[in-house]
Amino acid sequence: MITLLKISWRNIWRNKARSFIIIAALIIGVIGAIFSAAVRLGVEQQQFKDTVGNQISHIQIHHPEFIANPEARYRIPDGFQLAEEIRNRPDVTITSPRTVFDGMGASANLTTGVRIKGIDPGIEAITTGLDQLVQEGSYFSERGRLPSIIIGKELANNLNSDVGSRIVLTFQDIEGEIVSASFRVEGLYLVADKTFEKRTVFVDAKDLNQLIGDTKAVTEIAVVLTDIDEYRNVASELQAAYPDTKVRHWADIVPFLYFSLEFLERNLIWIFGLIILGVSFGLLNTILMSVLERVRELGVLMAIGMKKIKVFAMVVVETTMLSIIGGLIGLIISFGLVQYLSKHGLDLSGAGGEGLGEFGYASVIYPELALAMYFQLGMLIIVFAILAALYPAWKAIRLVPAEAVRQE
Amino acid sequence: MKTVIKTTDLTKIYNGGAAEVHALKKVNLEFKQGEFTAIVGPSGSGKTTFLNVLGGLDKPTEGHIYIDGVDLATMKESKLFDFRLRHIGFVFQAYNLIPVLTAMENVSFIMLLQKRSKEEMERRAKEMLEQVGLADKLDVRPSQLSGGQQQRVAVARALASKPDFILADEPTANLDTESAFNLLDIMARLNKEENVTMIFSTHDQRVIDRARRVINLVDGAVDEDKEFDR
């Protein structure tokens, strides 16, 4: 076996240029596969964290009519009590009762449609980490003449506003009457999803509820679970327990994100497979050339008594060795690259990446890939190498020794 | 003298294209232990086919080849590999060493296939390379050896497996006169020392002049079979 390995190893280096080219192709293929997967996963995970973690939470509960008509009149009966009950479940970390509806936001000279979220600042900070998203100004720490409002930086730009500016919100109260109230911009928040940032404003629920005429108003309860994987079960249980409400989990609320993540999770190995398959054809070609150049030598080996199975194994071992060298180097470089970028980020803002925010993606991407995926890709390379070796190895053992030994 | 090889009505017909080619026609020959035989004849007379069939590299269309009482003609291909490994040594016209192995490794390789012990392989390989005058080239690869030296390694490889007989297909065809004489001296000496049967196919008068038996093939049939006291 050692001699077989030795012969295979030396055979690889007979034509150094050819071996280096196929090794380089493997390295580039592996880096390409891993880097694209890690960037894609990083983007999706970031979007998940941004959308689910910072915006919608794991589960949301509304009045059934609220989904189609997000108005103050569609409130959850005894919303605060319901939120308290749900918070007491062992599988729930926190609940955030909110007063949410659509309205208009106006600065001195511009008006735009906004989604107004009345929140408990303390609870919201734990639920979505909104306080951490505030990049300019402060987070509900000032108590001035006007109530505070936290708006997105993008909305501030659209309304020509800044921290300290006055914004007038116009909306319907619980009776459907139009109400307007002035707020002072206390802070500007920043998220990757520029549409959210352009549209969503946060005010203290106490202030908002007084304005709509129901101090106990709750139109939305956001629920954060201890184990996110249980979101479907908990949502079903909550729906069964509170049939007068509409319970939706994050995958229902943002299906595109759910399908995107599911697709990646299920299909990453196929994406890897396709890339490695492409490289494998190069590998097959290299080994086939190598076999066809050694017809006489292979003939001699079989003539002197080397069994076909050993000749076959020798060709497979050569291919596997080449793929292990290229694959391993590729995996090591990819690992280092992904580790580095997962800490320092891949800033695409200079390359038109700012536009990604319009689609809910961050312009700075932090690629990430589980170690298991490196292992899976490594296995895939070896499997494809063996498959790529089958045809050249079959050609090798089909040689007729008597003819092969005389070939020029 | 013990008979090593016996052929009976050995016939080989190639069906190439429209016409059949009768490469061997009912060849009946016996080869004794320790013979030094040259198979001669013009191109296309069937010398190489005869050697291929004797060596189990090709199957006869009819007839039998008995080696130690075993008929190679009816042996399965999988068994033939093992039979060749244990009973037959080959020396080819173009040396056909494994270029990625050193002289020592080339000679050892066949014994490795025979699953000999490491110690035995090393001892025998060194001994054989010494016998062919290449004791100082053990770790040299074929590309660094001259044609004559490569063919001597091939002879050492053929003998290392302790075969019943060696089949040498035009072994001196690619060698200059000095190398050819040198190789023939070595082969003649080893033929006697190791008492191994050697059968050459050749056009080379230098080989024919050394052979103790010369078989002349014409159109696939034995035309003449002469023995010489050399």
Side-chain angles (χ1 to χ4, degrees):
Chain A
M1 187 64 190
I2 291 168
T3 306
L4 191 71
L5 291 175
K6 197 193 278 182
I7 294 175
S8 299
W9 177 255
R10 290 180 188 173
N11 279 336
I12 290 173
W13 302 113
R14 277 177 170 199
N15 190 328
K16 288 192 179 70
R18 194 167 58 200
S19 294
F20 278 129
I21 287 169
I22 192 64
I23 287 170
L26 268 163
I27 292 171
I28 292 165
V30 169
I31 293 175
I34 288 196
F35 187 70
S36 58
V39 167
R40 191 88 178 85
L41 267 179
V43 166
E44 296 300 339
Q45 292 297 341
Q46 236 167 296
Q47 202 193 11
F48 178 80
K49 192 179 152 214
D50 207 52
T51 307
V52 176
N54 296 141
Q55 294 170 24
I56 60 171
S57 304
H58 302 154
I59 290 171
Q60 286 190 355
I61 302 168
H62 297 98
H63 183 285
E65 293 295 324
F66 183 87
I67 313 298
N69 302 296
E71 296 166 16
R73 60 189 163 133
Y74 294 121
R75 301 184 299 283
I76 300 168
D78 300 320
F80 281 104
Q81 194 189 325
L82 189 64
E84 183 66 26
E85 270 180 43
I86 295 169
R87 183 160 51 230
N88 289 334
R89 285 175 61 107
D91 46 13
V92 171
T93 305
I94 194 162
T95 56
S96 177
R98 299 166 179 158
T99 310
V100 180
F101 43 76
D102 288 343
M104 300 299 287
S107 62
N109 43 19
L110 285 163
T111 303
T112 186
V114 289
R115 171 151 289 196
I116 304 158
K117 289 199 171 194
I119 56 166
D120 179 314
I123 291 175
E124 196 65 25
I126 302 167
T127 311
T128 60
L130 180 62
D131 56 333
Q132 301 299 315
L133 303 176
V134 172
Q135 302 294 307
E136 288 177 40
S138 57
Y139 177 75
F140 294 109
S141 58
E142 291 173 3
R143 203 67 204 171
R145 191 176 57 82
L146 292 176
S148 291
I149 184 169
I150 305 286
I151 67 171
K153 189 130 175 53
E154 199 73 14
L155 180 62
N157 291 339
N158 286 356
L159 293 176
N160 278 335
S161 301
D162 209 338
V163 174
S165 299
R166 193 172 71 102
I167 282 181
V168 176
L169 296 181
T170 304
F171 45 85
Q172 289 180 314
D173 68 8
I174 55 168
E175 305 297 342
E177 298 295 325
I178 301 292
V179 178
S180 286
S182 292
F183 292 82
R184 178 78 59 199
V185 177
E186 192 191 324
L188 303 179
Y189 71 85
L190 210 61
V191 289
D193 184 350
K194 295 302 160 199
T195 307
F196 183 87
E197 203 179 293
K198 220 183 276 183
R199 210 176 117 69
T200 313
V201 300
F202 295 91
V203 296
D204 192 322
K206 286 189 192 112
D207 298 328
L208 195 62
N209 285 351
Q210 272 187 347
L211 290 166
I212 61 168
D214 180 1
T215 54
K216 300 282 183 195
V218 172
T219 60
E220 177 177 287
I221 300 170
V223 181
V224 177
L225 304 176
T226 46
D227 180 2
I228 189 180
D229 293 337
E230 289 297 311
Y231 70 93
R232 281 186 192 277
N233 293 338
V234 178
S236 300
E237 285 172 26
L238 291 177
Q239 188 63 78
Y242 308 107
D244 295 337
T245 64
K246 177 69 182 166
V247 179
R248 295 183 305 159
H249 49 66
W250 71 268
D252 280 341
I253 300 167
V254 278
F256 68 94
L257 180 60
Y258 168 75
F259 287 120
S260 191
L261 283 167
E262 277 288 295
F263 176 82
L264 263 188
E265 207 167 282
R266 288 170 195 267
N267 296 301
L268 211 52
I269 198 74
W270 294 105
I271 296 168
F272 282 166
L274 274 176
I275 294 174
I276 300 304
L277 180 68
V279 178
S280 298
F281 280 105
L283 195 60
L284 185 151
N285 185 46
T286 301
I287 296 298
L288 188 60
M289 279 171 71
S290 158
V291 165
L292 295 178
E293 280 173 7
R294 289 186 283 152
V295 165
R296 196 166 66 189
E297 188 182 321
L298 294 166
V300 170
L301 289 174
M302 289 191 275
I304 64 174
M306 188 170 181
K307 287 189 174 141
K308 286 188 173 181
I309 183 77
K310 285 193 174 167
V311 174
F312 191 92
M314 189 176 77
V315 176
V316 172
V317 167
E318 281 173 29
T319 321
T320 311
M321 277 178 169
L322 264 178
S323 66
I324 287 175
I325 296 167
L328 204 60
I329 296 172
L331 286 173
I332 290 168
I333 294 173
S334 309
F335 181 76
L337 189 68
V338 170
Q339 287 301 302
Y340 177 83
L341 290 175
S342 69
K343 286 189 182 70
H344 298 89
L346 179 66
D347 192 352
L348 298 178
S349 55
E354 276 160 351
L356 289 171
E358 297 297 331
F359 304 100
Y361 296 111
S363 59
V364 179
I365 294 161
Y366 294 89
E368 58 176 72
L369 195 68
L371 265 179
M373 293 308 294
Y374 289 90
F375 180 74
Q376 281 184 20
L377 183 59
M379 288 293 108
L380 208 61
I381 292 166
I382 292 173
V383 168
F384 274 96
I386 291 169
L387 289 176
L390 293 181
Y391 179 63
W394 180 78
K395 287 285 276 184
I397 61 168
R398 295 271 297 166
L399 292 171
V400 178
E403 291 168 9
V405 294
R406 298 182 70 81
Q407 197 155 103
E408 290 301 319
Chain B
M1 279 284 193
K2 176 188 161 196
T3 298
V4 180
I5 309 166
K6 183 182 176 187
T7 70
T8 55
D9 296 334
L10 203 59
T11 302
K12 178 73 186 177
I13 303 168
Y14 291 109
N15 294 305
E20 283 188 342
V21 177
H22 290 251
L24 295 175
K25 296 173 188 165
K26 295 193 179 293
V27 176
N28 293 290
L29 286 169
E30 278 189 28
F31 297 91
K32 307 273 187 206
Q33 177 92 39
E35 269 189 16
F36 197 83
T37 303
I39 311 288
V40 300
S43 290
S45 60
K47 302 188 294 294
T48 299
T49 304
F50 183 62
L51 249 58
N52 284 342
V53 173
L54 276 193
L57 297 177
D58 210 346
K59 287 264 182 192
T61 311
E62 284 172 26
H64 302 276
I65 315 127
Y66 295 103
I67 297 170
D68 270 350
V70 179
D71 186 4
L72 243 58
T74 55
M75 195 178 274
K76 281 185 183 169
E77 197 194 6
S78 55
K79 298 238 177 195
L80 267 175
F81 276 84
D82 205 46
F83 191 87
R84 286 200 297 265
L85 180 64
R86 298 192 185 280
H87 298 273
I88 310 171
F90 290 94
V91 178
F92 303 97
Q93 179 180 336
Y95 329 132
N96 289 353
L97 300 175
I98 303 168
V100 294
L101 298 182
T102 64
M104 177 83 173
E105 288 166 340
N106 261 289
V107 178
S108 302
F109 186 68
I110 195 156
M111 292 184 279
L112 184 88
L113 295 176
Q114 290 178 321
K115 298 194 171 106
R116 304 258 192 101
S117 71
K118 197 181 169 194
E119 294 73 28
E120 191 188 352
M121 276 193 305
E122 280 185 12
R123 185 184 50 73
R124 178 86 175 153
K126 273 185 191 169
E127 184 189 320
M128 286 296 108
L129 284 167
E130 277 169 20
Q131 295 269 22
V132 297
L134 293 172
D136 57 337
K137 305 283 185 192
L138 300 183
D139 299 320
V140 173
R141 288 203 191 180
S143 59
Q144 295 162 281
L145 296 171
S146 68
Q149 288 172 326
Q150 286 188 56
Q151 198 60 303
R152 276 143 65 191
V153 176
V155 170
R157 177 179 68 183
L159 280 164
S161 62
K162 295 185 176 167
D164 295 339
F165 59 95
I166 287 178
L167 298 174
D169 187 13
E170 311 252 12
T172 55
N174 290 356
L175 301 182
D176 58 52
T177 304
E178 191 186 341
S179 300
F181 278 127
N182 191 1
L183 183 80
L184 288 168
D185 285 343
I186 289 167
M187 292 188 84
R189 177 166 50 80
L190 289 171
N191 166 249
K192 282 184 181 156
E193 285 176 10
E194 300 267 331
N195 194 28
V196 63
T197 310
M198 292 190 180
I199 304 168
F200 301 81
S201 75
T202 188
H203 285 108
D204 191 339
Q205 195 57 46
R206 297 167 298 192
V207 180
I208 298 166
D209 290 345
R210 294 290 188 102
R212 293 196 294 275
R213 181 181 175 192
V214 178
I215 298 167
N216 189 25
L217 285 183
V218 177
D219 294 334
V222 177
D223 182 56
E224 200 173 28
D225 185 353
K226 278 188 184 170
E227 293 198 19
F228 302 91
D229 190 18
R230 287 170 180 153

